[in-house]
PDB file of all heavy atoms in Angstrom:
ATOM      1  N   ALA A  70      69.637 145.819  99.487  1.00 91.00           N
ATOM      2  CA  ALA A  70      68.936 147.029  99.018  1.00 91.00           C
ATOM      3  C   ALA A  70      67.483 146.672  98.666  1.00 91.00           C
ATOM      4  O   ALA A  70      66.611 147.422  99.162  1.00 91.00           O
ATOM      5  CB  ALA A  70      69.670 147.599  97.784  1.00 91.00           C
ATOM      6  N   LEU A  71      67.194 145.574  98.084  1.00 88.00           N
ATOM      7  CA  LEU A  71      65.856 145.195  97.764  1.00 88.00           C
ATOM      8  C   LEU A  71      65.116 144.822  99.108  1.00 88.00           C
ATOM      9  O   LEU A  71      63.948 145.168  99.253  1.00 88.00           O
ATOM     10  CB  LEU A  71      65.827 143.981  96.824  1.00 88.00           C
ATOM     11  CG  LEU A  71      66.297 144.214  95.419  1.00 88.00           C
ATOM     12  CD1 LEU A  71      66.439 142.879  94.701  1.00 88.00           C
ATOM     13  CD2 LEU A  71      65.224 145.094  94.707  1.00 88.00           C
ATOM     14  N   PHE A  72      65.882 144.189 100.002  1.00 91.00           N
ATOM     15  CA  PHE A  72      65.266 143.827 101.316  1.00 91.00           C
ATOM     16  C   PHE A  72      64.793 145.105 102.036  1.00 91.00           C
ATOM     17  O   PHE A  72      63.692 145.205 102.499  1.00 91.00           O
ATOM     18  CB  PHE A  72      66.321 143.085 102.074  1.00 91.00           C
ATOM     19  CG  PHE A  72      65.936 142.707 103.461  1.00 91.00           C
ATOM     20  CD1 PHE A  72      65.190 141.608 103.733  1.00 91.00           C
ATOM     21  CD2 PHE A  72      66.418 143.452 104.494  1.00 91.00           C
ATOM     22  CE1 PHE A  72      64.818 141.289 105.010  1.00 91.00           C
ATOM     23  CE2 PHE A  72      66.102 143.133 105.819  1.00 91.00           C
ATOM     24  CZ  PHE A  72      65.284 141.980 106.098  1.00 91.00           C
ATOM     25  N   ALA A  73      65.688 146.136 102.110  1.00 92.00           N
ATOM     26  CA  ALA A  73      65.365 147.277 102.792  1.00 92.00           C
ATOM     27  C   ALA A  73      64.282 148.072 102.039  1.00 92.00           C
ATOM     28  O   ALA A  73      63.299 148.616 102.731  1.00 92.00           O
ATOM     29  CB  ALA A  73      66.672 148.260 102.808  1.00 92.00           C
ATOM     30  N   ALA A  74      64.274 148.158 100.763  1.00 90.00           N
ATOM     31  CA  ALA A  74      63.268 148.898 100.020  1.00 90.00           C
ATOM     32  C   ALA A  74      61.872 148.360 100.187  1.00 90.00           C
ATOM     33  O   ALA A  74      60.954 148.990 100.457  1.00 90.00           O
ATOM     34  CB  ALA A  74      63.648 148.833  98.533  1.00 90.00           C
ATOM     35  N   VAL A  75      61.842 147.020 100.109  1.00 91.00           N
ATOM     36  CA  VAL A  75      60.430 146.318 100.292  1.00 91.00           C
ATOM     37  C   VAL A  75      59.980 146.509 101.749  1.00 91.00           C
ATOM     38  O   VAL A  75      58.747 146.723 101.931  1.00 91.00           O
ATOM     39  CB  VAL A  75      60.563 144.821  99.905  1.00 91.00           C
ATOM     40  CG1 VAL A  75      59.273 144.082 100.323  1.00 91.00           C
ATOM     41  CG2 VAL A  75      60.806 144.709  98.415  1.00 91.00           C
ATOM     42  N   LEU A  76      60.782 146.407 102.726  1.00 92.00           N
ATOM     43  CA  LEU A  76      60.379 146.638 104.066  1.00 92.00           C
ATOM     44  C   LEU A  76      59.895 148.035 104.334  1.00 92.00           C
ATOM     45  O   LEU A  76      58.886 148.223 104.981  1.00 92.00           O
ATOM     46  CB  LEU A  76      61.541 146.302 105.023  1.00 92.00           C
ATOM     47  CG  LEU A  76      61.943 144.876 105.120  1.00 92.00           C
ATOM     48  CD1 LEU A  76      62.965 144.694 106.328  1.00 92.00           C
ATOM     49  CD2 LEU A  76      60.783 143.896 105.420  1.00 92.00           C
ATOM     50  N   VAL A  77      60.544 149.023 103.789  1.00 92.00           N
ATOM     51  CA  VAL A  77      60.029 150.421 103.870  1.00 92.00           C
ATOM     52  C   VAL A  77      58.730 150.566 103.171  1.00 92.00           C
ATOM     53  O   VAL A  77      57.810 151.214 103.681  1.00 92.00           O
ATOM     54  CB  VAL A  77      61.187 151.418 103.280  1.00 92.00           C
ATOM     55  CG1 VAL A  77      60.549 152.789 103.215  1.00 92.00           C
ATOM     56  CG2 VAL A  77      62.387 151.378 104.161  1.00 92.00           C
ATOM     57  N   LEU A  78      58.580 149.975 102.037  1.00 88.00           N
ATOM     58  CA  LEU A  78      57.313 150.006 101.203  1.00 88.00           C
ATOM     59  C   LEU A  78      56.159 149.389 102.115  1.00 88.00           C
ATOM     60  O   LEU A  78      55.112 149.943 102.174  1.00 88.00           O
ATOM     61  CB  LEU A  78      57.476 149.311  99.904  1.00 88.00           C
ATOM     62  CG  LEU A  78      58.162 150.163  98.755  1.00 88.00           C
ATOM     63  CD1 LEU A  78      58.342 149.196  97.546  1.00 88.00           C
ATOM     64  CD2 LEU A  78      57.288 151.355  98.375  1.00 88.00           C
ATOM     65  N   ALA A  79      56.460 148.207 102.558  1.00 90.00           N
ATOM     66  CA  ALA A  79      55.475 147.515 103.375  1.00 90.00           C
ATOM     67  C   ALA A  79      55.112 148.289 104.646  1.00 90.00           C
ATOM     68  O   ALA A  79      53.946 148.325 104.975  1.00 90.00           O
ATOM     69  CB  ALA A  79      55.977 146.071 103.731  1.00 90.00           C
ATOM     70  N   ALA A  80      56.053 148.917 105.278  1.00 92.00           N
ATOM     71  CA  ALA A  80      55.802 149.711 106.447  1.00 92.00           C
ATOM     72  C   ALA A  80      54.872 150.911 106.102  1.00 92.00           C
ATOM     73  O   ALA A  80      53.942 151.166 106.756  1.00 92.00           O
ATOM     74  CB  ALA A  80      57.037 150.164 107.109  1.00 92.00           C
ATOM     75  N   SER A  81      55.142 151.517 104.978  1.00 89.00           N
ATOM     76  CA  SER A  81      54.404 152.755 104.623  1.00 89.00           C
ATOM     77  C   SER A  81      53.017 152.456 104.101  1.00 89.00           C
ATOM     78  O   SER A  81      52.078 153.274 104.195  1.00 89.00           O
ATOM     79  CB  SER A  81      55.155 153.563 103.535  1.00 89.00           C
ATOM     80  OG  SER A  81      55.272 152.730 102.356  1.00 89.00           O
ATOM     81  N   ARG A  82      52.781 151.133 103.650  1.00 87.00           N
ATOM     82  CA  ARG A  82      51.470 150.740 103.118  1.00 87.00           C
ATOM     83  C   ARG A  82      50.902 149.628 103.954  1.00 87.00           C
ATOM     84  O   ARG A  82      50.090 148.863 103.513  1.00 87.00           O
ATOM     85  CB  ARG A  82      51.730 150.247 101.675  1.00 87.00           C
ATOM     86  CG  ARG A  82      52.393 151.199 100.766  1.00 87.00           C
ATOM     87  CD  ARG A  82      51.518 152.379 100.327  1.00 87.00           C
ATOM     88  NE  ARG A  82      50.321 151.950  99.648  1.00 87.00           N
ATOM     89  CZ  ARG A  82      49.337 152.716  99.222  1.00 87.00           C
ATOM     90  NH1 ARG A  82      49.375 154.003  99.461  1.00 87.00           N
ATOM     91  NH2 ARG A  82      48.308 152.246  98.487  1.00 87.00           N
ATOM     92  N   LEU A  93      54.615 138.339 106.914  1.00 95.00           N
ATOM     93  CA  LEU A  93      55.982 138.357 106.608  1.00 95.00           C
ATOM     94  C   LEU A  93      56.710 139.588 107.193  1.00 95.00           C
ATOM     95  O   LEU A  93      57.798 139.585 107.541  1.00 95.00           O
ATOM     96  CB  LEU A  93      56.251 138.260 105.110  1.00 95.00           C
ATOM     97  CG  LEU A  93      55.795 136.936 104.531  1.00 95.00           C
ATOM     98  CD1 LEU A  93      55.836 136.997 102.993  1.00 95.00           C
ATOM     99  CD2 LEU A  93      56.766 135.844 104.970  1.00 95.00           C
ATOM    100  N   PHE A  94      56.011 140.749 107.083  1.00 95.00           N
ATOM    101  CA  PHE A  94      56.554 141.993 107.566  1.00 95.00           C
ATOM    102  C   PHE A  94      56.752 141.944 109.123  1.00 95.00           C
ATOM    103  O   PHE A  94      57.814 142.423 109.628  1.00 95.00           O
ATOM    104  CB  PHE A  94      55.687 143.193 107.225  1.00 95.00           C
ATOM    105  CG  PHE A  94      56.218 144.490 107.705  1.00 95.00           C
ATOM    106  CD1 PHE A  94      57.230 145.190 107.094  1.00 95.00           C
ATOM    107  CD2 PHE A  94      55.627 145.031 108.849  1.00 95.00           C
ATOM    108  CE1 PHE A  94      57.678 146.346 107.628  1.00 95.00           C
ATOM    109  CE2 PHE A  94      56.108 146.206 109.387  1.00 95.00           C
ATOM    110  CZ  PHE A  94      57.184 146.917 108.715  1.00 95.00           C
ATOM    111  N   CYS A  95      55.785 141.380 109.801  1.00 95.00           N
ATOM    112  CA  CYS A  95      55.911 141.299 111.230  1.00 95.00           C
ATOM    113  C   CYS A  95      57.074 140.443 111.667  1.00 95.00           C
ATOM    114  O   CYS A  95      57.589 140.513 112.816  1.00 95.00           O
ATOM    115  CB  CYS A  95      54.611 140.733 111.817  1.00 95.00           C
ATOM    116  SG  CYS A  95      53.254 141.902 111.730  1.00 95.00           S
ATOM    117  N   PHE A  96      57.440 139.489 110.870  1.00 95.00           N
ATOM    118  CA  PHE A  96      58.702 138.656 111.202  1.00 95.00           C
ATOM    119  C   PHE A  96      59.937 139.119 110.644  1.00 95.00           C
ATOM    120  O   PHE A  96      60.960 138.414 110.732  1.00 95.00           O
ATOM    121  CB  PHE A  96      58.472 137.192 110.723  1.00 95.00           C
ATOM    122  CG  PHE A  96      57.556 136.437 111.694  1.00 95.00           C
ATOM    123  CD1 PHE A  96      56.154 136.408 111.568  1.00 95.00           C
ATOM    124  CD2 PHE A  96      58.085 135.762 112.763  1.00 95.00           C
ATOM    125  CE1 PHE A  96      55.348 135.725 112.427  1.00 95.00           C
ATOM    126  CE2 PHE A  96      57.335 135.045 113.671  1.00 95.00           C
ATOM    127  CZ  PHE A  96      55.873 135.052 113.473  1.00 95.00           C
ATOM    128  N   SER A  97      59.872 140.262 109.941  1.00 96.00           N
ATOM    129  CA  SER A  97      61.164 140.793 109.314  1.00 96.00           C
ATOM    130  C   SER A  97      61.293 142.364 109.672  1.00 96.00           C
ATOM    131  O   SER A  97      62.226 142.762 110.285  1.00 96.00           O
ATOM    132  CB  SER A  97      61.176 140.555 107.780  1.00 96.00           C
ATOM    133  OG  SER A  97      60.024 141.068 107.182  1.00 96.00           O
ATOM    134  N   GLY A  98      60.380 143.115 109.139  1.00 94.00           N
ATOM    135  CA  GLY A  98      60.453 144.537 109.267  1.00 94.00           C
ATOM    136  C   GLY A  98      60.364 145.139 110.690  1.00 94.00           C
ATOM    137  O   GLY A  98      61.154 145.844 111.178  1.00 94.00           O
ATOM    138  N   LEU A  99      59.472 144.564 111.517  1.00 95.00           N
ATOM    139  CA  LEU A  99      59.284 144.947 112.904  1.00 95.00           C
ATOM    140  C   LEU A  99      60.551 144.649 113.692  1.00 95.00           C
ATOM    141  O   LEU A  99      61.082 145.562 114.367  1.00 95.00           O
ATOM    142  CB  LEU A  99      58.033 144.396 113.566  1.00 95.00           C
ATOM    143  CG  LEU A  99      56.749 144.942 113.025  1.00 95.00           C
ATOM    144  CD1 LEU A  99      55.555 144.340 113.784  1.00 95.00           C
ATOM    145  CD2 LEU A  99      56.701 146.488 113.208  1.00 95.00           C
ATOM    146  N   MET A 101      63.562 144.095 112.660  1.00 95.00           N
ATOM    147  CA  MET A 101      64.671 144.776 112.123  1.00 95.00           C
ATOM    148  C   MET A 101      64.662 146.278 112.610  1.00 95.00           C
ATOM    149  O   MET A 101      65.668 146.850 112.824  1.00 95.00           O
ATOM    150  CB  MET A 101      64.620 144.752 110.524  1.00 95.00           C
ATOM    151  CG  MET A 101      65.207 143.448 109.954  1.00 95.00           C
ATOM    152  SD  MET A 101      66.918 143.204 110.357  1.00 95.00           S
ATOM    153  CE  MET A 101      67.665 144.675 109.681  1.00 95.00           C
ATOM    154  N   ALA A 102      63.463 146.808 112.789  1.00 94.00           N
ATOM    155  CA  ALA A 102      63.392 148.203 113.315  1.00 94.00           C
ATOM    156  C   ALA A 102      64.043 148.196 114.695  1.00 94.00           C
ATOM    157  O   ALA A 102      64.708 149.114 115.073  1.00 94.00           O
ATOM    158  CB  ALA A 102      61.962 148.636 113.291  1.00 94.00           C
ATOM    159  N   PHE A 121      65.679 137.256 111.017  1.00 94.00           N
ATOM    160  CA  PHE A 121      64.641 138.157 110.432  1.00 94.00           C
ATOM    161  C   PHE A 121      64.718 138.303 108.922  1.00 94.00           C
ATOM    162  O   PHE A 121      63.750 138.762 108.380  1.00 94.00           O
ATOM    163  CB  PHE A 121      64.728 139.496 111.145  1.00 94.00           C
ATOM    164  CG  PHE A 121      64.895 139.589 112.592  1.00 94.00           C
ATOM    165  CD1 PHE A 121      65.655 140.499 113.204  1.00 94.00           C
ATOM    166  CD2 PHE A 121      64.207 138.617 113.341  1.00 94.00           C
ATOM    167  CE1 PHE A 121      65.865 140.499 114.567  1.00 94.00           C
ATOM    168  CE2 PHE A 121      64.371 138.592 114.750  1.00 94.00           C
ATOM    169  CZ  PHE A 121      65.161 139.522 115.305  1.00 94.00           C
ATOM    170  N   ALA A 124      62.163 135.810 106.271  1.00 95.00           N
ATOM    171  CA  ALA A 124      60.800 136.275 106.046  1.00 95.00           C
ATOM    172  C   ALA A 124      60.832 137.433 105.088  1.00 95.00           C
ATOM    173  O   ALA A 124      59.996 137.585 104.203  1.00 95.00           O
ATOM    174  CB  ALA A 124      60.112 136.579 107.301  1.00 95.00           C
ATOM    175  N   GLY A 125      61.776 138.387 105.301  1.00 93.00           N
ATOM    176  CA  GLY A 125      61.869 139.558 104.366  1.00 93.00           C
ATOM    177  C   GLY A 125      62.196 139.111 102.979  1.00 93.00           C
ATOM    178  O   GLY A 125      61.694 139.833 102.020  1.00 93.00           O
ATOM    179  N   LEU A 126      63.044 138.143 102.816  1.00 92.00           N
ATOM    180  CA  LEU A 126      63.399 137.714 101.431  1.00 92.00           C
ATOM    181  C   LEU A 126      62.200 137.030 100.683  1.00 92.00           C
ATOM    182  O   LEU A 126      61.999 137.229  99.504  1.00 92.00           O
ATOM    183  CB  LEU A 126      64.576 136.729 101.482  1.00 92.00           C
ATOM    184  CG  LEU A 126      65.901 137.409 101.902  1.00 92.00           C
ATOM    185  CD1 LEU A 126      67.081 136.373 101.854  1.00 92.00           C
ATOM    186  CD2 LEU A 126      66.283 138.682 101.023  1.00 92.00           C
ATOM    187  N   LEU A 128      59.137 137.978 101.205  1.00 92.00           N
ATOM    188  CA  LEU A 128      58.453 139.194 100.882  1.00 92.00           C
ATOM    189  C   LEU A 128      58.963 139.819  99.600  1.00 92.00           C
ATOM    190  O   LEU A 128      58.239 140.247  98.721  1.00 92.00           O
ATOM    191  CB  LEU A 128      58.383 140.121 101.996  1.00 92.00           C
ATOM    192  CG  LEU A 128      57.441 141.308 101.811  1.00 92.00           C
ATOM    193  CD1 LEU A 128      55.997 140.838 101.644  1.00 92.00           C
ATOM    194  CD2 LEU A 128      57.551 142.210 103.112  1.00 92.00           C
ATOM    195  N   VAL A 129      60.295 139.871  99.489  1.00 90.00           N
ATOM    196  CA  VAL A 129      60.977 140.429  98.305  1.00 90.00           C
ATOM    197  C   VAL A 129      60.572 139.625  97.121  1.00 90.00           C
ATOM    198  O   VAL A 129      60.244 140.152  95.996  1.00 90.00           O
ATOM    199  CB  VAL A 129      62.523 140.504  98.511  1.00 90.00           C
ATOM    200  CG1 VAL A 129      63.165 140.821  97.168  1.00 90.00           C
ATOM    201  CG2 VAL A 129      62.904 141.534  99.523  1.00 90.00           C
ATOM    202  N   LEU A 140      51.424 147.413  97.095  1.00 62.00           N
ATOM    203  CA  LEU A 140      52.807 147.567  96.746  1.00 62.00           C
ATOM    204  C   LEU A 140      52.936 147.411  95.210  1.00 62.00           C
ATOM    205  O   LEU A 140      52.408 146.446  94.640  1.00 62.00           O
ATOM    206  CB  LEU A 140      53.752 146.547  97.375  1.00 62.00           C
ATOM    207  CG  LEU A 140      53.827 146.562  98.911  1.00 62.00           C
ATOM    208  CD1 LEU A 140      54.762 145.505  99.389  1.00 62.00           C
ATOM    209  CD2 LEU A 140      54.248 147.935  99.408  1.00 62.00           C
TER     210      LEU A 140
END
Side-chain angles (χ1 to χ4, degrees):
L71 289 172
F72 177 79
V75 170
L76 291 187
V77 170
L78 280 172
S81 63
R82 307 286 297 176
L93 293 169
F94 177 79
C95 287
F96 279 90
S97 55
L99 287 183
M101 277 300 301
F121 314 140
L126 292 183
L128 188 59
V129 169
L140 297 183

